[in-house]
Amino acid sequence: MPDEAQNKRLKPKPSLSQEVGAKAARKLKARRSCTPGVWFGLGMMGLIGWSVVVPTLLGAALGLWLDKRYPGTQSWTLMLLLLGLIIGCLNAWHWVPRRTRRCGRTGGAR
C-alpha cells in the first residue's frame, strides 16, 4: 500500500499548458465529429416546444381578455389561439434550420 501512495506522489502532474492543450484538442475533435448527441436533441425539443407554446398561450390569453372586454359573436380566443399557433410554428421553422445547419448536416456543434 505505501508503494502505491508513493508512486502517485512521484508521478509528475501535467503542466497547465499541457492540460489546456489536451482540453483544446478534445474540443476540436468534438467539433469535427459533427454527430448530434442526446443533449442536442433535447435542446432542439425544448427550442421547438417553447417557440410554439409561448406565442400560442399569449394569443389565447389576449383572446380571453378581449372576449371578456368586448363580447360578440366571434371568438377572439379561438382566433388569437390559432394566430399564436401559426406564429409559433413559423418561429420554430425559422430556428430549426439555423440550429441544424452548423455542420452542413443535421446537427452537431461548430
Side-chain angles (χ1 to χ4, degrees), residues 75-88:
S75 172
W76 287 105
T77 305
L78 189 57
M79 284 193 294
L80 292 177
L81 180 98
L82 184 61
L83 182 65
L85 181 64
I86 290 169
I87 290 171

Side-chain angles (χ1 to χ4, degrees), residues 10-72:
L10 293 178
K11 187 175 179 182
K13 288 171 112 177
S15 68
L16 179 63
S17 62
Q18 290 172 333
E19 288 179 26
V20 170
K23 194 171 192 179
R26 283 194 307 268
K27 264 188 186 179
L28 289 173
K29 183 180 176 187
R31 286 181 181 177
R32 281 190 298 261
S33 71
C34 289
T35 54
V38 173
W39 292 112
F40 178 79
L42 289 173
M44 284 298 291
M45 283 192 318
L47 176 77
I48 293 168
W50 283 108
S51 66
V52 173
V53 166
V54 169
T56 304
L57 290 179
L58 288 175
L62 181 62
L64 283 170
W65 182 79
L66 284 173
D67 277 340
K68 287 181 183 177
R69 204 100 157 126
Y70 306 105

